[in-house]
């Protein structure tokens, strides 16, 4: 069967997508991942024995290595997730974001184009380059309104600016060279196997470790949360059935302030893993310095993907959060990562009591 390249398949969303494609599609999956601090092969434990799963430890900036992979596997498409993904890290040090998210996407586009231009029909027509992006490219909303496919770009962090650049490159490769692309822009994901620098896993792990729960600014910032397996299902659909040259916005229709998310998590933890000394985990909340340039609100209008492709989220925010908390409580080994010392010092300097 035809192979599909998944870049960033050892990351949070990529590993969920690889598991889903192996379970629900006939493709061979070639996971192309550099294994940065965020890439964890343990997230793919269940896939390694599958003869349809292949792994290559490759940097998407390495053109020669990409050319060799295209020649070896002759894929029918690419689903591109590899990226530097954490906003705070991009504020601390933007270089890797420029390199991987912009130069890496350019390098992958050029390798894909060179391969695709030599394909004969019908393989040439059927080829897809699916670029996985974020709602952060649209900037920040006020109290009203939602992002949709027609929203103008207005990225405001080094991370979102690098993702916006990559979105523009992908669309330019379609308009200029005819490369058959699709783009998806998704809201905040959560679920098992997310690196514990992001809000939800950080709060779960800090809570049970008896550490402070650092809330940036007032905690009134709003995100639109989507369970990771719902995103993976949407990516599978967009890759196979998305119209060439089109964009699809994906979101959970689950807007919550950061404060509400942390309070809800504490309530679930109080029930599933009562605090050793009694009382509620809510007592560990601390308000710390705000994130520079902190976007107030993100929300997605997912009407297009619902109407055109029949997608909608299956997991509710409450059921997804409970599953997520239960997973982190049961998987301490997975969590045993080394965090980058320099980055941690920056967090402490900027946000005060950040662990
Ligand atoms: P992640 O940080 O968990 O994983 C990123 C993966 O990319 C890691 O496995 C890492 O090793 C790999 N990688 C990084 N640089 C690489 C390079 N130069 N070459 C090859 N591999 C490299 O990220 P995630 O949260 O799973 O996000 C995946 C994608 O989805 C990203 O493109 C991100 O912008 C996008 N996205 C994320 C969210 C979210 O809420 N997490 C929402 C919308 C879109
Ligand atoms: O919207 C999609 C984006 O969601 C993705 O493109 C990014 O890759 C992903 O990291 C995520 O970005 P956010 O910045 O929204 O996620 P993060 O988990 O870092 O923060 C969520 C909110 O919580 C944000 O308003 C900042 C706040 N926060 C975060 C941390 C880590 C805190 O208040 N305290 C914290 O310790």
């Amino acid at each position: 069967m035809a192979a599909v390249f998944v870049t960033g398949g050892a990351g949070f969303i990529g590993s969920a997508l690889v598991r889903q494609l192996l379970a629900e599609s006939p493709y061979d999956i070639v996971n192309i991942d550099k294994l940065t601090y965020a890439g964890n092969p343990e997230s793919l434990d269940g896939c390694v024995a599958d003869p349809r799963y292949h792994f290559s430890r490759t940097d998407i900036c390495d053109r020669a290595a990409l050319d060799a992979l295209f020649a070896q596997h002759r894929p029918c498409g690419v689903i591109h997730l590899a990226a530097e993904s954490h906003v705070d890290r991009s504020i601390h040090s933007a270089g890797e974001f420029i390199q991987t998210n912009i130069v890496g996407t350019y390098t992958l586009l050029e390798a894909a184009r060179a391969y695709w231009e030599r394909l004969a029909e019908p393989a040439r027509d059927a080829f897809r380059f699916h670029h996985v992006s974020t709602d952060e490219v649209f900037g920040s909303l006020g109290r009203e309104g939602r992002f949709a496919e027609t929203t103008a770009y207005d990225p405001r962090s080094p991370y979102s600016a690098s993702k916006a650049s990559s979105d523009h490159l992908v669309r330019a490769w379609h308009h200029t060279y005819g490369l058959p692309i699709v783009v998806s822009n998704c809201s905040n994901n959560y679920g098992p196997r997310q690196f514990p620098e992001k809000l939800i896993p950080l709060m779960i792990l800090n809570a049970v470790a008896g550490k402070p729960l650092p809330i940036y600014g007032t905690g009134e910032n709003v995100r639109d949360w989507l369970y990771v397996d719902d995103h993976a299902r949407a990516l599978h659909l967009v890759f196979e059935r998305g119209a060439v040259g089109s964009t699809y916005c994906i979101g959970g229709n689950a807007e919550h302030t950061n404060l509400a998310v942390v309070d809800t998590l504490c309530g679930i933890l109080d029930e599933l893993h009562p605090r050793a000394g009694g009382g509620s985990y809510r007592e560990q909340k601390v308000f710390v310095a705000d994130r520079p340039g902190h976007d107030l609100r993100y929300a997605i209008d997912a009407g297009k993907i619902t109407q055109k492709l029949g997608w909608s989220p299956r997991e509710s925010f409450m059921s997804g959060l409970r599953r997520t908390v239960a997973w982190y409580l049961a998987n301490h080994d997975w969590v045993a990562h080394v965090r980058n010392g320099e980055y941690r010092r920056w967090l402490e300097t900027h946000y005060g009591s950040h662990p």
Side-chain angles (χ1 to χ4, degrees):
M1 184 62 195
V4 170
F5 284 4
V6 175
T7 71
F12 166 50
I13 301 168
S15 62
L17 177 66
V18 168
R19 276 191 303 280
Q20 193 160 120
L21 289 175
L22 286 173
E24 290 173 21
S25 82
Y27 309 120
D28 274 28
I29 301 301
V30 183
N31 176 8
I32 299 173
D33 197 299
K34 179 183 173 181
L35 296 183
T36 67
Y37 80 95
N40 185 351
E42 279 178 53
S43 297
L44 292 154
D45 271 354
C47 305
V48 176
D50 191 323
R52 288 164 48 224
Y53 176 73
H54 313 271
F55 177 72
S56 173
R57 185 170 191 178
T58 296
D59 186 335
I60 55 163
C61 299
D62 183 343
R63 174 67 193 271
L66 292 176
D67 285 344
L69 286 168
F70 275 103
Q72 180 189 351
H73 295 283
R74 306 200 57 75
C76 65
V78 176
I79 311 181
H80 173 37
L81 295 96
E84 288 293 335
S85 70
H86 192 45
V87 173
D88 288 330
R89 283 181 187 265
S90 82
I91 297 168
H92 169 55
S93 176
E96 285 297 316
F97 290 73
I98 305 303
Q99 191 61 22
T100 287
N101 299 1
I102 305 177
V103 178
T105 299
Y106 156 74
T107 308
L108 183 64
L109 279 167
E110 280 295 77
R113 180 168 78 95
Y115 164 75
W116 168 76
E117 282 179 342
R118 287 194 290 271
L119 286 177
E121 295 297 358
R124 185 181 157 97
D125 192 45
F127 185 82
R128 290 292 177 277
F129 186 105
H130 178 173
H131 178 59
V132 178
S133 193
T134 169
D135 59 359
E136 298 200 13
V137 299
F138 300 123
S140 181
L141 291 165
R143 300 281 168 201
E144 302 294 322
R146 291 190 291 174
F147 300 132
E149 290 77 8
T150 49
T151 305
Y153 274 41
D154 184 22
R156 295 145 55 100
S157 73
Y159 163 69
S160 56
S162 70
K163 290 295 293 187
S165 304
S166 63
D167 293 13
H168 290 318
L169 289 173
V170 171
R171 293 195 183 100
W173 258 242
H174 172 61
H175 289 292
T176 307
Y177 306 109
L179 186 71
I181 63 106
V182 281
V183 176
S184 54
N185 294 88
C186 188
S187 64
N188 284 62
N189 283 215
Y190 70 99
R193 303 176 186 83
Q194 186 168 31
F195 191 82
E197 63 190 350
K198 307 286 193 325
L199 179 72
I200 287 177
L202 181 81
M203 294 296 157
I204 298 169
L205 297 178
N206 276 15
V208 297
K211 293 181 178 175
L213 307 179
I215 296 166
Y216 299 168
T218 61
E220 289 305 310
N221 303 67
V222 172
R223 298 293 183 263
D224 176 357
W225 294 96
L226 180 66
Y227 192 69
V228 65
D229 289 344
D230 279 327
H231 187 194
R233 203 163 35 80
L235 294 177
H236 186 181
L237 269 176
V238 170
F239 174 69
E240 287 188 341
R241 293 181 30 215
V244 171
S246 287
T247 295
Y248 296 85
C249 281
I250 306 167
N253 202 19
E255 286 185 55
H256 299 280
T257 65
N258 294 335
L259 204 48
V261 170
V262 175
D263 280 334
T264 308
L265 276 174
C266 289
I268 296 171
L269 278 166
D270 287 341
E271 189 190 323
L272 297 185
H273 190 272
R275 226 159 68 126
S280 169
Y281 288 103
R282 291 191 179 101
E283 292 162 33
Q284 290 167 224
K285 287 187 298 186
V286 290
F287 290 90
V288 300
D290 207 354
R291 173 185 279 175
H294 198 174
D295 288 339
L296 176 66
R297 177 172 162 256
Y298 305 143
I300 283 278
D301 173 355
K304 178 177 172 183
I305 186 170
T306 301
Q307 282 149 27
K308 301 270 185 201
L309 304 182
W311 175 88
S312 58
R314 287 180 186 159
E315 198 75 44
S316 76
F317 188 58
M318 273 312 286
S319 64
L321 265 194
R322 284 185 83 87
R323 286 169 76 126
T324 305
V325 171
W327 189 90
Y328 279 95
L329 291 177
N331 286 277
H332 283 290
D333 286 353
W334 183 93
V335 168
H337 282 106
V338 178
R339 289 183 183 167
N340 180 285
E342 190 197 345
Y343 169 63
R344 195 168 58 236
R345 276 193 299 283
W346 178 83
L347 285 174
E348 281 159 6
T349 311
H350 184 80
Y351 295 112
S353 62
H354 207 296

